[in-house]
């Protein structure tokens, strides 16, 4: 029991160090994109910068205003951090923490619950900027949750399992490479919107909302929000590799490349308007996924022979065969009599 607790503690500490690495990597990538050095003072090449920034946040005094809704204000960062940690328990890492046949469904449930952290943080702060940021975040995350849900349902239909581990054996299928790989560009857009990353970081529009839903947060509770958000970036990059490139021994390196793409997009593209973001979801992504969902259902029905059109055709064919088999031969005189009766 003690060894299990120590193992989980080491794993959580490793995730926190990955978040620190991600923050440093983001500042370095943005520095290179903007032709500047980035962090380079604290430690060798600025390697200790993010660790000391985290320590500074933890040591800051927690300021809680008297007119906020304290329960939701304090609950949302804790809930967001815990749910971000729980996401890692059900996916195949180099070691599986919690084996479950319904890992995909549990991941969808946790990602849906993460919407409440943004909503409660914005509403609990009792600030108009926080409230608008929370409403934007809920609208954005719910819109893209629908598309992500349908997209993962496509994969569930193909695999016939709710376990993330099946993706490790699914990548060699010609169906995957012929159909699912074309959704990778759409998946990247959905992933960025789900993570609230540029160019879809509308809930944290500094020029409009003064940091958005977390404007009233500071100290260690802001650090919890920050850790949860950046932990989800690693998680979604891991899921992207499972969906499109398989697992294997190079899974960590592949996910690192996806993280670099996410960070570079922030320096490459401007922020979208909020209306454009929602319209992309409902007018482009959702019809595209529904169309492919319908095509996949028809294709699977044809392969299994369960398509209702085929059943109707076979039934009608059997009726005509029986009618022709029971048809009595008629003479020429009988046919002439029937024709005269029809004319009269």
């Amino acid at each position: 029991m003690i060894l299990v607790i120590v193992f989980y503690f080491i794993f959580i500490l490793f995730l926190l160090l990955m978040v620190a690495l991600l923050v440093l990597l983001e500042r370095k990538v943005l520095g290179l994109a903007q032709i500047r050095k980035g962090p380079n003072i604290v430690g060798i090449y600025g390697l200790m910068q993010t660790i000391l920034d985290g320590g500074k946040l933890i040591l800051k005094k927690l300021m809680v205003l008297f007119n906020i809704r304290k329960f939701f204000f304090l609950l949302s960062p804790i809930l967001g951090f815990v749910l971000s940690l729980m996401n890692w328990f059900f996916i195949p890492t180099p070691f599986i923490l919690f084996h479950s046949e319904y890992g995909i469904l549990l991941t969808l449930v946790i990602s849906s619950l993460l919407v409440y952290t943004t909503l409660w943080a914005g509403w609990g702060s009792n600030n108009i900027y926080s409230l608008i940021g929370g409403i934007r975040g809920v609208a954005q995350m719910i819109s893209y949750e629908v598309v992500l849900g349908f997209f993962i349902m496509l994969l569930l239909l193909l695999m016939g399992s709710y376990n993330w581990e099946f993706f490790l054996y699914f990548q060699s299928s010609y169906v995957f490479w012929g159909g699912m790989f074309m959704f990778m560009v759409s998946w990247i857009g959905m992933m960025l919107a789900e993570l609230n990353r540029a160019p879809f970081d509308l809930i944290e529009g500094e020029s409009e909302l003064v940091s958005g839903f977390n404007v009233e947060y500071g100290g260690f509770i802001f650090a919890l929000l920050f850790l949860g958000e950046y932990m989800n970036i690693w998680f979604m990059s891991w899921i992207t590799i499972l969906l499109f490139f398989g697992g294997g021994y190079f899974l960590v390196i592949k996910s690192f490349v996806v993280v670099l793409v996410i960070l570079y997009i922030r320096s490459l593209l401007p922020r979208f308007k909020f209306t454009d973001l929602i319209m992309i979801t409902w007018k482009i992504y959702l019809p595209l996924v529904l169309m492919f969902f319908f095509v996949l259902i028809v294709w699977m029905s044809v392969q299994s022979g369960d398509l209702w059109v085929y059943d109707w055709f076979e039934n009608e064919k059997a009726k005509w065969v029986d009618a022709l088999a029971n048809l009595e031969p008629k003479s020429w005189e009988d046919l002439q009599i029937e024709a005269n009766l029809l004319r009269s």
Side-chain angles (χ1 to χ4, degrees):
M1 184 65 182
I2 297 177
L3 291 177
V4 174
I5 295 175
V6 171
F7 174 76
Y8 278 96
F9 177 78
I10 293 174
F11 181 73
I12 293 173
L13 182 61
F14 175 76
L15 289 178
L16 297 180
L17 291 176
M18 292 291 286
V19 170
L21 173 64
L22 177 58
V23 176
L24 178 65
L25 186 64
E26 180 177 23
R27 297 177 70 176
K28 288 288 188 181
V29 169
L30 292 178
L32 291 173
Q34 298 167 3
I35 318 177
R36 56 184 176 83
K37 291 184 178 181
N40 64 338
I41 301 297
V42 182
I44 302 174
Y45 297 107
L47 293 178
M48 298 296 295
Q49 182 70 55
T50 54
I51 297 177
L52 294 180
D53 287 342
K56 182 184 70 173
L57 277 176
I58 294 174
L59 295 175
K60 275 188 174 182
K61 182 179 180 180
L62 178 60
M63 301 292 292
V64 179
L65 301 179
F66 69 93
N67 61 339
I68 66 172
R69 300 173 177 91
K70 293 183 177 60
F71 177 76
F72 295 101
F73 182 81
L74 298 175
L75 176 63
S76 56
I78 299 172
L79 180 63
F81 179 71
V82 172
L83 291 177
S84 299
L85 285 177
M86 289 177 60
N87 263 331
W88 289 90
F89 291 175
F90 309 108
I91 62 173
T93 54
F95 40 83
I96 300 175
L97 297 177
F98 184 80
H99 179 77
S100 175
E101 294 295 331
Y102 303 98
I104 296 177
L105 294 182
L106 292 172
T107 300
L108 290 176
V109 169
I110 292 173
S111 63
S112 300
L113 291 176
L114 283 171
V115 178
Y116 289 98
T117 63
T118 303
L119 176 63
W120 289 345
W123 180 70
S125 299
N126 200 16
N127 181 293
I128 190 62
Y129 294 115
S130 301
L131 181 60
I132 295 175
I135 293 173
R136 279 187 173 189
V138 170
Q140 175 177 332
M141 295 171 77
I142 288 178
S143 299
Y144 281 87
E145 282 288 339
V146 173
V147 181
L148 280 173
F150 276 110
F151 184 86
I152 295 177
M153 283 176 62
L154 294 176
L155 306 178
L156 297 182
L157 282 175
L158 284 175
M159 292 190 308
S161 173
Y162 297 101
N163 196 341
W164 283 116
E165 298 175 33
F166 272 71
F167 283 101
L168 301 177
Y169 313 103
F170 187 61
Q171 308 299 322
S172 60
S173 173
Y174 72 94
V175 176
F176 168 79
W177 289 107
M180 290 301 169
F181 195 77
M182 71 184 215
F183 273 97
M184 185 174 179
V185 177
S186 300
W187 171 264
I188 291 176
M190 290 183 267
M191 177 180 63
L192 292 174
E194 181 69 18
L195 294 172
N196 302 319
R197 297 289 299 179
F200 304 128
D201 54 341
L202 277 302
I203 65 174
E204 299 177 2
E206 294 88 356
S207 59
E208 307 165 8
L209 302 178
V210 195
S211 184
F213 71 98
N214 56 9
V215 67
E216 296 290 348
Y217 284 90
F220 77 93
I221 54 174
F222 175 78
L224 290 178
L225 282 175
F226 194 79
L227 289 172
E229 178 182 348
Y230 276 73
M231 210 177 296
N232 286 331
I233 295 176
W234 280 112
F235 175 76
M236 291 302 293
S237 65
W238 203 277
I239 294 300
T240 303
I241 296 303
L242 283 177
L243 292 179
F244 296 103
F245 299 102
Y249 298 103
F250 300 102
L251 198 149
V252 177
I253 300 176
K254 294 175 183 177
S255 63
F256 187 79
V257 174
V258 175
V259 167
L260 285 177
V261 171
I262 293 174
L263 299 180
Y264 183 67
I265 288 176
R266 179 179 178 181
S267 64
L268 188 66
L269 298 176
R271 182 179 293 133
F272 278 31
K273 291 194 301 183
F274 184 73
T275 53
D276 292 341
L277 172 65
I278 301 300
M279 287 301 105
I280 288 174
T281 309
W282 297 108
K283 292 188 177 180
I284 297 178
Y285 285 159
L286 186 60
L288 183 65
V289 172
L290 288 177
M291 180 189 68
F292 197 77
F293 188 74
F294 177 75
V295 171
L296 179 62
I297 291 177
V298 173
W299 179 81
M300 294 181 67
S301 300
V302 171
Q303 293 294 319
S304 61
D306 295 334
L307 194 62
W308 68 270
V309 176
Y310 285 171
D311 294 339
W312 175 83
F313 179 76
E314 291 296 332
N315 292 333
E316 292 297 321
K317 181 180 177 181
K319 290 180 182 179
W320 281 102
V321 170
D322 294 339
L324 290 174
N326 297 326
L327 187 63
E328 297 180 359
K330 295 183 179 181
S331 62
W332 178 251
E333 290 78 9
D334 294 335
L335 293 175
Q336 283 185 333
I337 293 172
E338 290 181 1
N340 292 330
L341 290 175
L342 290 174
R343 291 193 191 98
S344 61

